[in-house]
Amino acid sequence: MTCGMLLDLEWEALGRSVRTRDLEAAVHVEDRIAIPVRMLPVLQGDAMGATLREVLAAQGWEAQPDGSMTRVFGGVTATLDAGAATVTLVRSADATVTATGSARVVEGDAVDEARAARAAEALAERVLAGQRAKVTARLEAENVAALTREEATVRAALQEALNRVYRKALEQRARELGEVESIDERGDVRGGYEVTVVVKA
């Protein structure tokens, strides 16, 4: 005689959930180029620097409380220092990067809960570091491209300003020596500039 048994087995599913960790970081990148300003001492003391500041103000540069002057060229800030010795081009860029790390945890298991939290944070930190490196490299490349593009424009504007400074300085110096009969200016396509002042002694 065969006996049969029917067994109903039920498996209790373990409750599993996911622990996530969100991280955020700010990325700030700043790059600069320094352009030395060299002027012949046609006038004494700070007269050359004062004349340069006067000419730059007419070109739209703004005086700052510390004695420097600034003007923005296509997203690049050009600053003439207070001593009129250097123009510094600066471009900065900012971004925010985010990352998420996750790990599964058995519900109700405190030890597993702590392990999952640590694993989620570690993963988020690794992802965040990778994101930060990528964004930093992109922002640096954008800064370099902008600085390279605007450097020529700033140098041209500075050269034009220096030409005007020399003209003013030579005229002033000539007037100190005697009566100015004539002033002749010539420029060429390469940016060369020549001023001839004739003084009647």
Side-chain angles (χ1 to χ4, degrees), residues 15-94:
R16 285 194 173 270
S17 60
V18 176
R19 292 294 172 263
T20 61
R21 181 77 167 100
D22 295 322
L23 296 178
E24 182 177 285
V27 177
H28 176 78
V29 176
E30 185 174 284
D31 293 282
R32 59 186 61 225
I33 295 174
I35 302 171
V37 177
R38 297 185 180 92
M39 292 184 287
L40 295 172
V42 178
L43 302 175
Q44 298 300 312
D46 184 45
M48 294 297 288
T51 305
L52 177 58
R53 285 188 284 274
E54 178 187 315
V55 170
L56 290 179
Q59 287 185 350
W61 293 60
E62 294 181 7
Q64 303 301 318
D66 64 356
S68 64
M69 297 188 79
T70 60
R71 182 178 166 189
V72 177
F73 292 81
V76 172
T77 301
T79 303
L80 173 73
D81 67 340
T86 308
V87 170
T88 304
L89 310 184
V90 178
R91 187 180 194 269
S92 58
D94 295 280

Side-chain angles (χ1 to χ4, degrees), residues 100-118:
T100 300
S102 60
R104 292 193 176 278
V105 61
V106 176
E107 287 185 10
D109 186 336
V111 173
D112 199 42
E113 180 88 28
R115 180 204 58 76
R118 286 192 305 273

